[in-house]
Amino acid sequence: MQCFRIFILAVIAAVVTACGHDDTFHVKGELDDGASINLRFVYYTNGGVASGITASNNGKFMFEGRSASLALVEVYDNDYRLMGRFVARNGEDIDLRLNRKNPYLTKASGNELTARLTAFLNANADNLMASTASRNNAVAEYVRAHPDDAVADILLATEFDAAGFAALADSLHELILPDARFNSVSGPVASQLAMGGAKAETALADGIVYRMSGNREAEFGKSRKGLAMLVLSDRRDGRDSVLSALRRMARHVAKDRFELIDLNMDPDTTIWRHTVAADSATWTQGWMPGGVMGRGVERLGVPTLPYFILADSAGTQLWRGSSATLAVSETVSHLR
């Protein structure tokens, strides 16, 4: 049966290679450790997000997507850890080799932009993995040296941590020439940076529409009493510390006094459900379509994930920040 599967994969690969595909892009990849696992791919294009699932067989896998313009594509393993990024559009064939221990050592080719992005990530793998400061410095240096390259725009959107560095992120974004803006990431980044600083801090935390289990829609801000803590996070960025803080703050949840809203910013609901499956949550959990640019959240100028916003019954922000420890202490302090 194993030999038959390998034969079928070989036949499919031959057919894909032989046929034109002007209306799709094709990805042929392998895992460096030869594992047989499920993989999830997500790509951002035309103002939206598309996703799918494929499977590797002894480390070999294939999938296809559809985007008339260049799309930013991300691949995750079966534990929803990011394994690599590249860009693609219809008609292109992408060759991909994923490093399961370090996503910055992923190899990808198929177009010049992907080649340049991969070259930067490979050359700076140590700095990108070391610390926020070293990662930000590496990205800033590239942006300053290559303002005419869309890779700079992609790196600023995906690798630069703007928490505490919103002004620097904004100045770096302004350096990138209009012709070098990568459409699927430039718009959200520009909007987010524009909402940074004092404007974001004084915006009301209100009218935030999210989805709950069963695909029910809910809105934060309507007919609410007392304090509320908004917790914005995704699977890969410090979820363990977020969960610990949520459990500590959940002890103070009380009707008409304190509400705890845990909003997931992952690309789709499947990743969200997997992220919170073992939480045993006693607080409100939901998924935010559009992530930090979702309806109602976009005006808050969230600079990084995880992020915490404490608001009163009128939606006025009393405190905001990225520290889970401070989020707990601020909550307790305001409830006294």
Side-chain angles (χ1 to χ4, degrees):
M1 180 62 73
Q2 184 69 15
C3 291
F4 178 72
R5 288 177 180 169
I6 294 173
F7 171 74
I8 290 298
L9 283 173
V11 171
I12 293 173
V15 171
V16 166
T17 302
C19 298
H21 53 92
D22 290 342
D23 59 345
T24 59
F25 62 85
H26 290 172
V27 179
K28 181 181 178 182
E30 62 177 311
L31 304 179
D32 65 338
D33 62 354
S36 295
I37 61 172
N38 289 330
L39 298 169
R40 174 170 292 274
F41 56 93
V42 179
Y43 57 98
Y44 306 83
T45 178
N46 301 324
V49 180
S51 64
I53 297 175
T54 187
S56 69
N57 190 311
N58 292 331
K60 308 292 184 182
F61 64 90
M62 291 182 294
F63 65 86
E64 67 176 20
R66 190 182 305 274
S67 179
S69 58
L70 278 172
L72 179 65
V73 187
E74 297 179 334
V75 181
Y76 297 82
D77 68 7
N78 54 352
D79 290 321
Y80 296 89
R81 291 186 295 253
L82 179 69
M83 299 179 65
R85 287 191 182 98
F86 58 91
V87 296
R89 63 182 157 202
N90 293 345
E92 293 183 337
D93 294 293
I94 305 296
D95 289 317
L96 190 63
R97 179 176 173 81
L98 299 174
N99 185 305
R100 296 196 65 198
K101 292 183 178 179
N102 188 337
Y104 299 118
L105 293 177
T106 285
K107 305 292 184 182
S109 62
N111 57 63
E112 291 184 4
L113 188 54
T114 286
R116 294 199 304 276
L117 175 62
T118 300
F120 172 87
L121 297 175
N122 291 174
N124 292 274
D126 290 341
N127 286 332
L128 294 170
M129 290 285 283
S131 67
T132 297
S134 62
R135 185 169 66 252
N136 281 359
N137 286 338
V139 172
E141 286 180 9
Y142 191 91
V143 172
R144 293 183 183 115
H146 305 89
D148 58 343
D149 188 356
V151 168
D153 210 19
I154 295 171
L155 291 173
L156 188 58
T158 59
E159 296 298 339
F160 192 90
D161 188 343
F165 303 97
L168 176 57
D170 190 30
S171 65
L172 290 172
H173 189 261
E174 288 299 315
L175 291 177
I176 299 172
L177 300 179
D179 289 345
R181 298 286 167 86
F182 193 77
N183 291 336
S184 65
V185 297
S186 273
V189 169
S191 298
Q192 194 172 353
L193 291 174
M195 282 301 303
K199 188 177 180 181
E201 293 173 2
T202 57
L204 288 180
D206 187 33
I208 298 172
V209 179
Y210 60 94
R211 295 182 193 170
M212 301 179 68
S213 60
N215 206 32
R216 294 175 296 140
E217 189 173 274
E219 181 175 339
F220 174 84
K222 272 193 172 181
S223 303
R224 186 171 54 79
K225 298 179 181 179
L227 292 173
M229 174 64 81
L230 278 173
V231 181
L232 314 177
S233 68
D234 60 8
R235 180 172 179 80
R236 62 181 180 150
D237 292 310
R239 180 62 187 178
D240 289 343
S241 63
V242 169
L243 187 56
S244 175
L246 283 164
R247 287 173 174 160
R248 291 169 66 190
M249 289 186 287
R251 301 169 189 166
H252 302 280
V253 171
K255 185 178 180 181
D256 297 339
R257 179 164 167 77
F258 177 60
E259 186 178 6
L260 184 57
I261 310 292
D262 176 18
L263 294 182
N264 179 271
M265 302 285 145
D266 279 314
D268 62 38
T269 55
T270 302
I271 300 179
W272 164 48
R273 293 189 186 100
H274 190 276
T275 299
V276 303
D279 285 358
S280 301
T282 58
W283 57 89
T284 300
Q285 292 187 309
W287 176 70
M288 194 72 217
V292 295
M293 292 308 298
R295 182 177 165 190
V297 170
E298 83 286 0
R299 72 172 72 95
L300 301 177
V302 177
T304 189
L305 293 176
Y307 206 69
F308 306 83
I309 296 175
L310 183 66
D312 65 15
S313 59
T316 302
Q317 296 181 65
L318 304 176
W319 176 85
R320 52 187 279 150
S322 58
S323 169
T325 300
L326 286 179
V328 174
S329 63
E330 288 291 334
T331 296
V332 174
S333 176
H334 280 84
L335 284 171
R336 285 175 180 164

